[in-house]
Amino acid sequence: MSFNQFRLSSDILKGLKDVKIESPSTLQKKIFKAVQEGSDLVINTTTDDRPEVGYLINLLNDIAKSDRRQGTKGIILAPDSERAKFLDEWIWAIGYHASIESACITSDGDPKKKLNALSAGPVVVVATPEEFSNLLEEGKIIFREVQQLIVDQAEKVENWDAIDNISTRIIGKCQRIFTAAKDSKELRDAENKLLTEPELVTLAKKAPEKKKEPEITKDLTQYYINVPPRSKISTLMAHLDNNKSDTVVIFTASRRTADRLYKILRKSNRRAVSVHQQLNKETFDERFNRFTTNDVQHLIIGDMTAKDLPLEHATQVINYDVPEDVNEYKLRAELVGDGKATRILSLVSKQDREDIQTICKSFGYAPEEVPLPKSVKDKVSSGKKGKKKSGKQSKSRNNKRGKSKKSNSRQKESGKHHGLPRPTFDQLEGGRTGKKKEEKGLVGFFKKLFS
């Protein structure tokens, strides 16, 4: 997964590219998301991973997107001068294109120059605790706009009184973040003083949870469209036209249907990719990443289960073909339930009705019906009118056809009929062959089922 998932400023992305950091690790990704929640954090760095990639790009990204650059927004306390200088250089490199500069306060250098640098209100300060605390006392400096106070490698801190003094000079709400490679009594005591109900961010293995069956609640945003014969593709296209800004995942029952939809969407100048199980990993990742990085707007899935998709976000999930398996529908709906998508919509044609009925019986309630798009409704209505007009003309044609009946019967008797059976439109549109049975209508079924 690339940093594009984090919606970073283009300047910060350039900085990451400059230092050859192409994608976040699992821990860095967890840190980034936890920092965005805004609560106090203790980050357990038991691995060799670099936590600063997780917590600093969040801070730098906020600064890069801000119109106002006056005032200190972040304070980072390092256990020694070497670490402080490393972080200062790292911030300069990542923030170079966004013109983000930091002040580095250590035991080195002229105290007056360092005090002047602090008085100028640098947007980020990297410092060793004791030196920084003494300068704040001397200059009687307070901070009103600090968003984050970060104690890096907290297990190495020897003087917590200095950090406590720095913390008291921050006025207003401030997120406090500690990173530590191991637990210690000093760290726990510091948590009690400086942190408020901190969340632990770690890669430590948790006890395996009992696997739960996917569940769907009534408050889940579920819809369906009752699709007339020969109208599934036009219904899909009209629905996409009515939701032009949405990022959409479209599930189909076969690779063939997915490829066909891809061609139709591309011909209508829509940005789309299709994936299926027969793709090699490199091609699959390339196409999937184009969707997750917003290079394309529509992802078409052919004959794949939702559990195999590392999907992070989509505006909506569309069942072009309603899944035959209830559990698969639940997995797709979980993309919505987990906040990875906003709603799920099923296009229900004649061949999908038995499957949607089975799903609804399993839930005990029905999704909400969405009206057929107006353009499709008008097209269906005009088609019905055309059939009525052609009925009058058919009578005159019957007389002409009567003459050919004898020749047709001769062909059948002699076994010389060369015509091939023509597939129904439903077979062409969907991924599965419809079953021949008398249908009473989807709306009527729902009323009967839930009355």
Side-chain angles (χ1 to χ4, degrees), residues 219 246 286 306 392 421:
D219 59 356
D246 288 2
E286 187 273 330
K392 295 179 181 179

Side-chain angles (χ1 to χ4, degrees), residues 20 161 286 367 398 444:
K20 302 188 184 324
D161 290 337
E286 187 273 330
N398 286 339

Side-chain angles (χ1 to χ4, degrees), residues 24 62 72 91 94 275 326 360 386 394 451:
D62 287 345
T72 301
I91 291 169
I94 303 299
V275 296
V326 174
C360 291
S394 63
S451 60

Side-chain angles (χ1 to χ4, degrees), residues 192-203:
N192 294 332
K193 290 181 182 179
L194 300 174
L195 304 180
T196 303
E197 298 181 355
E199 177 189 346
L200 178 64
V201 182
T202 180
L203 282 182

Side-chain angles (χ1 to χ4, degrees), residues 239-440:
H239 178 76
L240 295 178
D241 283 339
N242 294 336
N243 300 269
K244 291 184 178 179
S245 62
D246 288 2
T247 52
V248 185
V249 179
I250 304 170
F251 283 93
T252 70
S254 69
R255 170 189 173 183
R256 185 176 182 181
T257 305
D259 289 342
R260 185 184 180 207
L261 285 183
Y262 167 75
K263 292 176 182 177
I264 292 172
L265 263 64
R266 291 296 297 135
K267 282 183 180 179
S268 62
N269 295 320
R270 288 177 170 85
R271 295 177 294 120
V273 289
S274 65
V275 296
H276 48 79
Q277 289 179 328
Q278 296 182 23
L279 292 175
N280 60 51
K281 186 178 185 304
E282 183 179 353
T283 304
F284 180 92
D285 290 344
E286 187 273 330
R287 293 185 184 181
F288 191 80
N289 286 337
R290 289 187 64 194
F291 178 76
T292 58
T293 57
N294 296 322
D295 183 39
V296 297
Q297 192 175 357
H298 306 94
L299 175 65
I300 308 168
I301 313 295
D303 192 23
M304 286 185 67
T305 175
K307 70 179 180 181
D308 292 337
L309 294 173
L311 185 68
E312 291 293 327
H313 178 74
T315 310
Q316 65 173 309
V317 172
I318 295 179
N319 290 321
Y320 183 82
D321 293 311
V322 178
E324 297 174 341
D325 180 41
V326 174
N327 211 48
E328 174 59 23
Y329 182 94
K330 291 179 179 179
L331 288 169
R332 296 179 188 179
E334 273 197 337
L335 297 175
V336 182
D338 287 346
K340 296 177 180 178
T342 306
R343 59 185 176 272
I344 182 168
L345 171 75
S346 298
L347 304 182
V348 182
S349 64
K350 180 179 179 181
Q351 71 189 78
D352 297 301
R353 289 178 185 172
E354 184 175 342
D355 295 322
I356 197 69
Q357 288 170 3
T358 302
I359 290 168
C360 291
K361 284 180 181 178
S362 174
F363 298 162
Y365 62 92
E368 179 182 344
E369 182 176 11
V370 175
L372 192 67
K374 186 176 183 302
S375 59
V376 182
K377 190 182 296 184
D378 292 343
K379 185 177 180 181
V380 172
S381 298
S382 62
K384 289 180 179 179
K385 290 179 182 178
K387 286 183 180 180
K388 289 181 180 179
K389 291 181 181 179
S390 63
K392 295 179 181 179
Q393 300 172 358
S394 63
K395 291 182 180 179
S396 61
R397 292 173 183 169
N398 286 339
N399 294 330
K400 296 178 181 179
R401 289 175 180 170
K403 296 178 181 179
S404 63
K405 284 183 179 179
K406 292 182 180 179
S407 59
N408 287 340
S409 61
R410 288 171 188 168
Q411 284 183 347
K412 290 178 181 178
E413 289 172 1
S414 60
K416 295 181 180 180
H417 181 68
H418 300 291
L420 296 175
R422 185 171 181 174
T424 66
F425 193 82
D426 278 341
Q427 286 173 318
L428 289 174
E429 280 206 330
R432 297 183 298 273
T433 304
K435 297 179 181 180
K436 294 182 179 180
K437 60 178 289 184
E438 185 178 353
E439 299 289 350
K440 298 181 180 180

